[in-house]
DNA sequence: TTCGGAATCGAACTTCATGTACGGAATCTA
DNA sequence: TAGATTCCGTACATGAAGTTCGATTCCGAA
């Protein structure tokens, strides 16, 4: 009972093709100009096959985002958060390594959804760190939720700007800008 | 020659109706769910009349944004920028006064276009201030453009968060969060 | 008040993308 | 190999975008 049946190869192939098609298309034109027709043409699958797996275009994008979010969260957790609330060096380095992909998703040609998702991820992490440090009472006068929105928004804006401008400075410089622009905690 | 003829009343009425319709609709549902049909129904104008004045829905939104941008820029310029690069108290106060309108445009139901436009406005202003202060050499080690992206993005994120969460703190507190979260210049 | 030009109306039409339906063919797993 | 699942492809319904055009109404200037 409850036999763990392996996933059908055909399903895997279909999903892989669609992920690849989306990523290759989003480099070429902005996300909201991409149609389902574009996707199934590029992926070479039938129309009804697409709708058998995803409800909408955004649905496909969200499944892509799961990977991205997991990556980011890992980089946020790996690094010990030093002075800055959010440790940014790992994020910038990771973004540099996968800059084509991440710029396409996060940048001006990407989707609102990606920005919101990333902001939520950053904010969640920032709140956790702030709550953790609550004991030292160093910032008891400032509301924690607003501070979290601030540091998360600042990091996302900095990252987006950096990618959109084709990374004019190395990740180390960017992490410095981030850390040194923040008031010491 | 070049007689300055006054604008036709009908044109004014049409545009006013459309602006009103857009603002009243965007409070009810998210911007990208609004159709041209919704707009002309609410405004009580003919379909072809709409296209006689605006090319697209975004075109109409942009003309709305001109007002918003002008307002913001005035508030950024009025207040002397103290320690923080961008003076934020005036912005938060102005946003509080027109919160229904601005939340609808800037918040999660608004459009990407508004966020981008606002970010551009903030960034432009921040760059001007940073360039102005360049002489004192206090931050010569950090690239000015990246710093501008940081402070602009942080302010916009804070403002958006504040409006989306129905302004849980007074404008003065928000301005404090902004100013005190930044490293002293 | 009148007149000519401009704006509006409204309805029909084209185009395009979304989403659904279904029968037959291909392919997978067991 | 056999039964089940998935895929294909075509056709169809829906709905929004954007265009066209003749008739009508309204405006501003004289």
């Amino acid at each position: 009972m409850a036999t763990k049946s392996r996933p059908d190869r055909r399903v895997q192939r279909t999903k892989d093709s669609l992920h690849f098609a989306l990523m290759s298309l989003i480099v070429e034109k902005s996300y909201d100009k991409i149609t389902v027709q574009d996707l199934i043409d590029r992926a070479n699958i039938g129309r009804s096959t697409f709708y058998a797996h995803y409800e909408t275009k955004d649905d496909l994008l969200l499944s892509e985002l799961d990977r991205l979010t997991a990556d980011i969260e890992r980089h946020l957790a790996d690094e010990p958060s030093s002075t800055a609330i959010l440790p940014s060096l790992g994020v910038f380095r990771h973004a540099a390594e996968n800059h084509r992909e991440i710029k396409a998703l996060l940048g001006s040609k990407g989707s609102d959804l990606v920005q919101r998702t990333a902001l939520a991820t950053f904010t969640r992490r920032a709140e956790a760190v702030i709550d953790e440090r609550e004991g030292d009472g160093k910032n008891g006068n400032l509301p924690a939720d607003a501070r979290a929105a601030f540091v998360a928004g600042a990091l996302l804006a900095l990252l987006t700007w950096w990618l959109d401008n084709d990374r004019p400075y190395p990740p180390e410089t960017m992490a410095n800008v981030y850390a040194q622009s923040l008031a010491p905690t």
Side-chain angles (χ1 to χ4, degrees), chain A residues 8-24 39 42-43 45 53-54 60 63-64 67:
Chain A
D8 198 313
R9 277 182 197 163
R10 290 169 295 183
V11 176
Q12 285 306 318
R13 269 171 30 90
T14 297
K15 291 193 173 181
D16 284 352
S17 299
L18 279 172
H19 285 311
F20 182 79
L22 174 59
M23 292 315 300
S24 101
L39 287 166
R42 182 68 60 98
I45 64 166
H53 295 288
Y54 302 99
L60 172 62
S63 71
E64 198 79 43
R67 268 193 318 124

Side-chain angles (χ1 to χ4, degrees), chain A residues 107-123:
Chain A
S108 53
K109 295 194 324 189
S111 152
D112 215 9
L113 254 179
V114 186
Q115 283 275 333
R116 292 192 207 284
T117 306
L119 185 60
T121 303
F122 284 160
T123 305

